[in-house]
Amino acid sequence: MKTRLTTLAASALLLHSATTFAASSVDLTVKGLIVPSACTPSLSGGGVIDHGKVSAKDLNPTYGTAIGIHTLSLTVNCDAPIQFALHPIDNRAGSGPSSDFGLGFINETQKLGHFSLTWRKALADGGVEVQPIASMDQGNSWYPEKFWEPSMYMAAASMDDDTQPLPIKDLSVDLEVLTIINRADGLDLSNEVTIDGSATLEVKYL
């Protein structure tokens, strides 16, 4: 009887060990899709907007000052029609509001200002008018939108269907850039300050 109880106890211990091992494991899956087409984005003017020198005396002390609106030509050229989105990365994240792109800091703490991006006109293959749509969940769902926020996917859809991006070979967009300096009474402008906005626009294949 004692031998039988010992055997049962050993079996229970082994079963408990196996159960514990299974509960302490996790699977790793690597997925993806290789697409035959590639897209190349480009911006007119080398993607540079130079506001030159702005006098501190021209900045409003109690609210933000718009120092310029510029329109760049954004083009995306693909090897063949394909569904894609454009994803902006704010390279000065934290120095601007969540809905815009930052212009860097003064003395590492004072937020200098921000710039916004807006799609004003979009044409697809052969000059066909298309509408901008956006996704905040990496392309799972879409809605009409022209204001481009950091980390937001933007794509082009047909004028009668705003629920999904079109397969496009060549896309051209008038991209409006508005630059705003924050209220001057909260900024140390006793020395020259560099306007240091930067964003990276990357193609995401859908």
Side-chain angles (χ1 to χ4, degrees), residues 136-180:
M136 293 297 289
D137 55 12
Q138 298 183 328
N140 291 311
S141 60
W142 297 89
Y143 58 94
E145 183 60 84
K146 63 181 180 180
F147 300 108
W148 203 2
E149 299 181 11
S151 299
M152 175 190 286
Y153 279 28
M154 288 285 279
S158 67
M159 298 303 293
D160 57 2
D161 182 5
D162 56 23
T163 64
Q164 60 181 337
L166 277 174
I168 293 175
K169 182 179 184 296
D170 298 305
L171 175 69
S172 64
V173 175
D174 286 346
L175 186 64
E176 182 182 276
V177 184
L178 169 64
T179 306
I180 296 176

Side-chain angles (χ1 to χ4, degrees), residues 16-194:
H16 175 72
S17 298
T19 302
T20 302
F21 178 79
S24 300
S25 65
V26 64
D27 292 331
L28 169 65
T29 302
V30 179
K31 299 177 66 177
L33 184 67
I34 306 298
V35 297
S37 300
C39 300
T40 303
S42 62
L43 285 167
S44 61
V48 176
I49 293 175
D50 188 353
H51 291 285
K53 293 187 176 182
V54 179
S55 173
K57 295 182 179 179
D58 293 335
L59 302 177
N60 194 287
T62 57
Y63 56 84
T65 303
I67 62 171
I69 300 178
H70 294 76
T71 300
L72 298 178
S73 177
L74 168 63
T75 60
V76 182
N77 301 113
C78 306
D79 297 334
I82 188 173
Q83 284 185 315
F84 66 86
L86 290 166
H87 171 232
I89 300 170
D90 186 359
N91 296 324
R92 303 294 179 262
S95 67
S98 60
S99 59
D100 279 342
F101 301 81
L103 295 178
F105 292 94
I106 301 175
N107 300 328
E108 300 182 354
T109 57
Q110 301 170 12
K111 298 178 181 181
L112 177 59
H114 51 97
F115 66 94
S116 64
L117 301 178
T118 305
W119 284 37
R120 288 300 183 194
K121 182 180 181 181
L123 298 174
D125 308 323
V128 177
E129 184 179 3
V130 290
Q131 63 172 317
I133 57 175
S135 173
M136 293 297 289
D137 55 12
Q138 298 183 328
N140 291 311
S141 60
W142 297 89
Y143 58 94
E145 183 60 84
K146 63 181 180 180
F147 300 108
W148 203 2
E149 299 181 11
S151 299
M152 175 190 286
Y153 279 28
M154 288 285 279
S158 67
M159 298 303 293
D160 57 2
D161 182 5
D162 56 23
T163 64
Q164 60 181 337
L166 277 174
I168 293 175
K169 182 179 184 296
D170 298 305
L171 175 69
S172 64
V173 175
D174 286 346
L175 186 64
E176 182 182 276
V177 184
L178 169 64
T179 306
I180 296 176
I181 303 298
N182 289 336
R183 52 187 294 173
D185 62 358
L187 302 175
D188 179 4
L189 302 173
S190 57
N191 297 300
E192 286 191 354
V193 175
T194 300

